[in-house]
Amino acid sequence: MAGGKKSARPSKREEEEETEEEPLDPLASYVPASFGWEKEAESSSVSDEYSLLSSSVISYEGGRDESGRYSGSGVAVFKGGEKYNGEFQDGYMHGKGQFKWKDGTKYEGDVQRNAFTGMGTLKWSDGSSYEGEVKNGVRQGKGIFRFGEAPMTYDGSWKAGVREGQGRMDYDEEGLCFYEGEWKNGKRHGKGKMRYESGNIYDGWWECGVKDGKGSMTWLAEKEKYDGEWKKGVPHGFGVYVWYAKEDTEASPWHLRNRYVGMMVDGMREGSGTFYFADGSKYEGEWKANRKHGFGIYYYSNGALYKGRFEDDRMEKEEGEEEEGPGAEINVDLSDLLLLEKDEKNEWQRIRNIISRHISSLRMLYRRFSNFNRAPIAARFSYLVPRSSQRSVAGADSDPHTLPMIQMWNILQLARGVTPSLRLAEASSIVTRKHDSGRELATDSQAPFLPLLFSEFVEGLFRVGAELFSPSHNDECDQLLPLSERINMFMTRGVLPLVRVSPSSAAPMIRGAGEE
């Protein structure tokens, strides 16, 4: 067999960088046209400012104070064609007013000593508008900008006329396509969430307008999700990539299919990583350009494994070499429990003998409970399954390859592996605790749908048996028996008789404290 049955070819989304970008802001840093006298006034005395304003005005109608300076309400027309209609004080435009430029741009709002500062509204000739805080004629602080030629709106913070700080940009009238988060110098920068026109969603960190840092991307049409590190807009670093069934969504985690946990480089699997296949098989090892390359271990769904080198997604086997068959070589790790044994080496050999002796029956049990209709089991364990997920469990009959945790619960109860002192929740934790860290399986809502590989199923049974037949949980065990004896007692008394039992058989509902 040259290379395993899965090539794990990359999807289109793995090979191509996300191309959806935001529409261009045509007026990102608009500054109103100069009057022509501001720079002169910077070096002039306060007493000269009024004369500079007066020299730019070609006509004025309105009130004046005792010194003849503009005061109260008035209308001033400037040399450049600009026009101001509003309040004056001490010869300055000051208070509330409306200013109109020759090109049609309008400002209406607060004016402080000839500067447009405070709250105001700017309207441009192309239909764009801004309403919010301004300082010296530019957008500064909180405000809303509406684009004239595109159905876009930005609501958030501004600095020196550009988007900076927290804000939300809607790219359509319905607000379905948007970015909400941090901005810097007019670009997405910092933590933020982007929902594209396609419905795809990215939630994470940005740098200078591109995805960079920790983030999660969901591609709805492709039913794919990546959660991990990004660099320059593509997955790069450690992450988890999941392919869901085409007929399902993430809301129903039972339909998890292929899953990759490991390193990514420039959007591709590269370095060390583990790929969990839909049929229960698994590859753990080195990758290069999305292909198995280097040293690795391929675990078949039937318990067999291949350990060695891979070249361009294919196994590099010596002539006549075969994969290691199921049995004693099944990947069961009980090293932490064996450390407590007096004769660790001989205990492990006895456990290997138990595996070899019962491997066929265990495989048969695994397959029968994997294939069985899950709806009745979902109903039986409804007190452990969130109400929002029960419909998803009941319909999850299409994947015959892996055993879900909810069927493991069924097996544990049928095998008398759950007692008043060893509650189902505790037994379930014993099964999963060694596998949670690398498989992103931790949330309570996902526990019923957790797919168990065959080796994890066997190891879980052994661990529950070791705990069940200890003095703390079993009255007939007045002292701690060797590990192999505890495992064998659970196998012969509880597990193996299930080979002749229908998966639909009722089990006593033994609930511990806190289980409702």
Side-chain angles (χ1 to χ4, degrees), residues 60-170:
Y60 172 77
E61 293 183 7
R64 293 178 183 267
D65 61 14
E66 295 177 353
S67 301
R69 298 175 298 185
Y70 307 149
S71 182
S73 297
V75 178
V77 179
F78 296 85
K79 290 180 180 179
E82 301 91 354
K83 182 179 180 179
Y84 173 76
N85 185 348
E87 298 176 329
F88 289 83
Q89 181 179 315
D90 299 331
Y92 296 97
M93 296 181 293
H94 190 87
K96 300 289 185 182
Q98 182 184 90
F99 197 97
K100 183 176 180 180
W101 284 265
K102 188 176 181 179
D103 64 1
T105 303
K106 297 178 182 180
Y107 171 80
E108 184 172 357
D110 296 332
V111 186
Q112 296 181 18
R113 296 178 67 86
N114 296 341
F116 303 139
T117 298
M119 295 297 295
T121 300
L122 275 162
K123 294 182 179 180
W124 287 266
S125 57
D126 69 347
S128 300
S129 67
Y130 172 79
E131 184 177 355
E133 296 178 88
V134 292
K135 184 177 181 180
N136 294 326
V138 296
R139 293 165 286 189
Q140 178 88 7
K142 301 288 186 181
I144 301 174
F145 183 88
R146 295 179 175 87
F147 292 74
E149 298 178 355
M152 296 164 53
T153 302
Y154 173 78
D155 186 352
S157 296
W158 298 81
K159 184 178 180 181
V162 297
R163 299 184 292 271
E164 184 143 339
Q166 284 290 133
R168 173 178 171 125
M169 175 78 85
D170 287 316

Side-chain angles (χ1 to χ4, degrees), residues 305-321:
L305 63 86
Y306 165 80
K307 182 186 299 185
R309 293 197 60 80
F310 288 75
E311 179 76 27
D312 195 26
D313 225 31
R314 300 175 67 85
M315 298 174 183
E316 282 192 332
K317 296 166 56 178
E318 299 294 334
E319 185 175 354
E321 182 183 356

Side-chain angles (χ1 to χ4, degrees), residues 192 197 282 321:
E197 184 178 1
K282 177 177 73 171
E321 182 183 356

Side-chain angles (χ1 to χ4, degrees), residues 441-510:
L441 303 168
T443 65
D444 289 340
S445 62
Q446 286 185 325
F449 317 103
L450 170 61
L452 295 175
L453 301 176
F454 177 67
S455 58
E456 295 168 346
F457 163 71
V458 174
E459 182 177 329
L461 289 176
F462 283 11
R463 288 181 172 275
V464 170
E467 184 70 21
L468 181 65
F469 286 92
S470 64
S472 57
H473 294 292
N474 198 303
D475 293 337
E476 67 176 273
C477 302
D478 54 358
Q479 60 181 359
L480 187 63
L481 299 173
L483 179 60
S484 60
E485 289 189 33
R486 285 179 278 151
I487 291 174
N488 192 56
M489 290 172 72
F490 185 48
M491 291 293 294
T492 55
R493 297 184 185 185
V495 177
L496 295 178
L498 296 184
V499 175
R500 300 182 295 275
V501 175
S502 168
S504 62
S505 297
M509 298 303 295
I510 304 174

